[in-house]
Amino acid sequence: MKQVIYLASLLFVLFATACTQQKNYIEKEIVFTEKLTAEQKLKLAAYLVPTKQQYEWQQLELTAFIHFGINTFTGREWGDGSESPELFNPTDFNAEQWVVALKEGGFKMVILTAKHHDGFCLWPTKTTEHSVAHSPWRDGAGDVVRELKNAADKHGMKFGVYLSPWDRNAPSYGDSPKYNQLFVDQLHELLSNYGEVHEVWFDGANAEGPNGKKQEYDWKAFYHVIDSLQPNAVKAIMGDDVRWVGNESGLGRETEWSVTPLRADIHEDAVDENNRLEISATAKDLGSRKLIEKAKSIYWYPSEVDVSIRPGWFYHPEQDAQVKTLEHLVDIYYQSVGMNSVLLLNIPPDTRGLIHEVDVARLKEFGQYIDKTFADNKMSDTHSYWKAENGDYKEYKIKDGEVINTVLLQEDIKKGQRVEVFKVEGLINGSWTKLAEGTTIGYKRLLRFDDVSPEKIRVTITETRFSANINEIGAYYAAPFTDEGSLVELNHIEGDWAEVIEINPLTVDMKGEEIEVTGFTYNPDAASEMAFKYRFLLSNDGKNWSEPSNSQEFGNIKNNPVAQFIHFEEVLKARYFKLEVLEGTEGGKPTIEAKHIGILTH
Ligand code: FUL
């Protein structure tokens, strides 16, 4: 038996060597045989390349997310599925306004939350009554998916769908085969009735169904629907073409390998192997030599950075003054597109069904800033393809007197991702000075440094897994930011309480007298365990308590620890509040300090 395996390994190595000699690259996945040495595994890793779909996706660089749905009208981040479709009623819906605004920002694809965790479908599906067809919008004849797709087609923008596997409305959720069929039917509708779809986004958020049972998803069936109906689409997050970067703050990794042993957690084998290697989407190291040596298989599984232009994923009017500043968005650009990732920036339309004016203006500024910066390469050399071995360097002339503060490097990923260490120096007053250094390059790497006027720059490929294929180098000047931005300090709404009566559960006499209360806020401290599920109570006398109707959970707080605004459906009078934490973000019961809670009074 051993001999057979040995022979198989040898044949595989010979085959792989033959492939590399013929420059035949291996797409998407390599399964290692047992006898491969670390060196052989690394060589194979250098020859792993994206599929055509993954490559085209990577070239988009800027993609946009639209979170729109029932939450837009309830002010929540996670609906619980009990919301009435009657609530969905945008007053001035215009999908073309979205697409035009995104285009001005430079975005090449738009991905719509066709169904979020609350189960409300933005298209008139046959699978449930919980959809736009039962809303007052366009007298029940509206279809957000259709209108957005038409607008995208009109303006030459690619289109993708987010379909949440977790469905808090579907009665069959948790009854695995039944719900899987419903999900397959929903996918079928979305992928066969609206023309071409380029990305299908499966969220990883998950919990048990109304029947208390855990849903076992039939990923194989879901993938099959996509592959057969939309062969050009990439499958993201719980899909195996595009990987979640691991946070919702817009932060890529300094060292970002698209070649990784990490697999989407879609079947037991994958989960076991990820556990054995101690890796997950949030791990710091996803592609080092050490990791590849331990791996049994590797994948081309590139990173996507998803982040919202506002603190929340859905629109909340109280966040109108918290739209990310131009400077913040540009930082995000450098940390995503500039770190071998694709940016997926969320811009949530408001209750009118329009992207808010502040966001529209910010998108335009962003698009103009990026265009202006990268339209003008300050190098005077025409740059040719460069095949670099360990230690090779190349010099490039900078146009006379030009100031630079940014360099761009690209590997030809159709020939694999290989560079492990590089540096960039500038020839200033006759001597070479280090301007920037880095580890991975991948599809694109951007580095920033202080303004300099070098005669030349020198790029050194210090270490590479095999000959590096550099196909683009540029030097640019990025202008400083003038607008300080208008980030709202949340502390102003925190209570200047009359008395904190008890610490656990937190019980507070708000103002020493009855006041009108319309909701409350929680400004979490992400450094320690945060509250996730809670009970919030109000009282006039500190003895008899009532619970204003609200969602009892801070939806998505773990991944996105931003200030939470909970609005009640009516104005209530009370002197005391009590906040009991039922479950923390790590499964514990953390104590919440009074200074993190605020009361909304209008
Ligand atoms: C998360 C979800 O739970 C959030 O609500 C949001 O949709 C984000 C993009 O993904 O997993």
Side-chain angles (χ1 to χ4, degrees):
M1 180 64 185
K2 253 194 178 158
Q3 257 172 346
V4 176
I5 295 176
Y6 179 71
L7 201 71
S9 317
L10 198 71
L11 282 174
F12 183 73
V13 177
L14 288 176
F15 166 74
T17 317
C19 283
T20 55
Q21 276 166 2
Q22 287 167 23
K23 306 226 178 331
N24 280 338
Y25 298 91
I26 305 156
E27 277 185 11
K28 195 164 174 179
E29 169 179 352
I30 297 177
V31 179
F32 295 140
T33 49
E34 277 178 29
K35 293 279 169 188
L36 292 182
T37 63
E39 193 67 11
Q40 287 166 329
K41 284 182 172 181
L42 198 72
K43 193 161 176 184
L44 286 171
Y47 276 83
L48 186 59
V49 295
T51 60
K52 183 172 166 284
Q53 294 83 336
Q54 287 175 315
Y55 184 67
E56 284 171 0
W57 168 85
Q58 188 91 50
Q59 285 179 303
L60 298 176
E61 300 191 0
L62 292 176
T63 62
F65 229 163
I66 294 279
H67 274 64
F68 187 58
I70 217 80
N71 293 337
T72 313
F73 299 87
T74 59
R76 292 181 189 164
E77 279 289 298
W78 280 1
D80 61 16
S82 68
E83 299 84 2
S84 163
E86 291 286 323
L87 293 171
F88 185 85
N89 197 11
T91 49
D92 198 11
F93 183 88
N94 185 349
E96 194 170 353
Q97 186 254 7
W98 308 355
V99 172
V100 170
L102 299 178
K103 229 184 154 173
E104 295 230 298
F107 292 85
K108 308 282 184 334
M109 167 152 70
V110 55
I111 302 180
L112 172 71
T113 52
K115 178 183 85 167
H116 204 251
H117 311 325
D118 51 69
F120 184 76
C121 298
L122 293 183
W123 78 104
T125 173
K126 293 199 178 83
T127 62
T128 170
E129 298 202 338
H130 201 54
S131 83
V132 280
H134 296 268
S135 79
W137 178 60
R138 305 231 195 285
D139 292 326
D143 184 342
V144 179
V145 178
R146 172 90 53 218
E147 292 197 33
L148 181 55
K149 172 66 177 163
N150 287 347
D153 283 351
K154 182 169 168 193
H155 293 274
M157 185 170 286
K158 289 195 166 165
F159 179 71
V161 288
Y162 166 117
L163 189 69
S164 171
W166 185 26
D167 188 322
R168 303 174 97 182
N169 175 268
S172 62
Y173 188 88
D175 183 347
S176 296
K178 214 165 157 200
Y179 178 74
N180 284 334
Q181 188 54 52
L182 174 129
F183 196 78
V184 161
D185 292 344
Q186 293 188 339
L187 262 182
H188 240 279
E189 291 180 354
L190 286 172
L191 303 185
S192 47
N193 295 334
Y194 297 92
E196 188 141 44
V197 173
H198 281 96
E199 183 161 343
V200 180
W201 219 90
F202 289 148
D203 206 300
N206 211 340
E208 65 187 22
N211 51 15
K213 283 196 268 172
K214 194 174 175 297
Q215 173 71 28
E216 299 291 342
Y217 297 114
D218 188 352
W219 295 109
K220 217 170 145 196
F222 305 165
Y223 280 20
H224 178 71
V225 179
I226 302 169
D227 293 341
S228 44
L229 295 176
Q230 295 288 344
N232 289 329
V234 287
K235 302 181 276 293
I237 315 307
M238 292 308 280
D240 63 357
D241 296 309
V242 169
R243 159 172 62 87
W244 180 45
V245 72
N247 64 73
E248 295 183 358
S249 336
L251 288 172
R253 289 175 180 77
E254 283 285 333
T255 302
E256 186 63 83
W257 287 104
S258 296
V259 175
T260 170
L262 186 78
R263 308 164 71 173
D265 273 342
I266 53 166
H267 44 72
E268 242 173 78
D269 287 3
V271 175
D272 291 350
E273 186 57 6
N274 290 342
N275 287 343
R276 183 183 73 84
L277 295 169
E278 296 176 42
I279 49 173
S280 68
T282 57
K284 193 163 174 247
D285 172 15
L286 283 178
S288 67
R289 288 181 179 217
K290 242 167 85 190
L291 199 56
I292 288 181
E293 189 182 336
K294 285 196 279 175
K296 293 182 185 156
S297 50
I298 48 171
Y299 304 86
W300 187 273
Y301 197 23
S303 138
E304 177 180 76
V305 172
D306 63 326
V307 58
S308 185
I309 196 166
R310 289 163 171 253
W313 288 98
F314 284 90
Y315 176 81
H316 308 284
E318 62 269 11
Q319 295 177 354
D320 285 350
Q322 290 180 282
V323 175
K324 290 189 170 59
T325 59
L326 174 62
E327 183 168 2
H328 193 171
L329 285 185
V330 171
D331 279 348
I332 288 175
Y333 178 83
Y334 277 92
Q335 286 160 181
S336 53
V337 177
M339 287 185 179
N340 190 31
S341 298
V342 166
L343 173 60
L344 176 58
L345 181 71
N346 177 63
I347 302 97
D350 59 20
T351 51
R352 293 172 301 175
L354 295 174
I355 292 184
H356 191 275
E357 293 71 5
V358 179
D359 309 51
V360 171
R362 195 56 41 83
L363 285 171
K364 193 170 175 181
E365 281 178 280
F366 172 74
Q368 286 173 345
Y369 185 91
I370 298 296
D371 278 357
K372 188 164 176 250
T373 305
F374 294 99
D376 186 10
N377 191 347
K378 309 288 187 193
M379 288 180 357
S380 51
D381 305 335
T382 51
H383 25 104
S384 52
Y385 210 94
W386 174 32
K387 213 172 175 62
E389 308 300 331
N390 274 343
D392 281 1
Y393 63 85
K394 222 175 171 178
E395 294 174 9
Y396 301 87
K397 271 210 191 99
I398 301 293
K399 293 176 196 157
D400 267 0
E402 289 284 7
V403 179
I404 61 164
N405 55 18
T406 302
V407 290
L408 170 152
L409 297 143
Q410 291 193 275
E411 273 181 85
D412 180 2
I413 57 167
K414 280 191 280 184
K415 294 183 176 165
Q417 186 188 351
R418 298 175 173 186
V419 176
E420 291 180 309
V421 185
F422 68 92
K423 70 175 173 196
V424 181
E425 296 156 296
L427 185 62
I428 303 166
N429 301 328
S431 62
W432 287 105
T433 314
K434 194 184 318 160
L435 300 178
E437 60 193 336
T439 52
T440 46
I441 296 179
Y443 171 73
K444 188 175 269 190
R445 188 70 212 260
L446 296 169
L447 294 138
R448 296 193 277 188
F449 42 85
D450 290 343
D451 293 1
V452 282
S453 283
E455 268 169 62
K456 288 180 185 177
I457 60 165
R458 179 162 77 186
V459 177
T460 307
I461 303 300
T462 320
E463 260 174 70
T464 176
R465 288 186 174 175
F466 207 64
S467 315
N469 299 287
I470 307 295
N471 65 351
E472 189 73 49
I473 292 184
Y476 304 91
Y477 174 70
F481 299 94
T482 43
D483 183 1
E484 291 286 293
S486 50
L487 276 188
V488 164
E489 268 300 322
L490 272 158
N491 291 343
H492 74 281
I493 52 159
E494 280 168 6
D496 173 16
W497 312 120
E499 189 190 350
V500 175
I501 298 169
E502 222 178 299
I503 301 230
N504 200 3
L506 179 64
T507 313
V508 172
D509 179 350
M510 296 182 276
K511 293 285 167 208
E513 60 182 1
E514 234 175 50
I515 56 168
E516 289 194 338
V517 180
T518 58
F520 74 100
T521 61
Y522 170 40
N523 194 8
D525 169 12
S528 41
E529 181 167 3
M530 300 170 280
F532 171 42
K533 296 207 163 145
Y534 63 84
R535 190 174 298 133
F536 185 86
L537 303 164
L538 288 170
S539 169
N540 297 323
D541 55 12
K543 294 188 192 99
N544 299 301
W545 297 91
S546 64
E547 188 173 4
S549 59
N550 57 52
S551 75
Q552 298 192 325
E553 77 182 10
F554 300 117
N556 202 34
I557 194 168
K558 187 171 176 182
N559 281 333
N560 193 21
V562 298
Q564 309 284 309
F565 283 70
I566 306 298
H567 299 277
F568 305 146
E569 271 151 29
E570 50 193 346
V571 182
L572 298 162
K573 285 196 172 155
R575 175 170 166 179
Y576 306 90
F577 79 77
K578 187 188 288 207
L579 179 73
E580 196 184 334
V581 179
L582 303 177
E583 191 185 317
T585 44
E586 305 303 326
K589 273 201 185 170
T591 310
I592 300 307
E593 287 179 63
K595 67 174 187 194
H596 291 298
I597 302 300
I599 290 296
L600 298 171
T601 53
H602 54 268

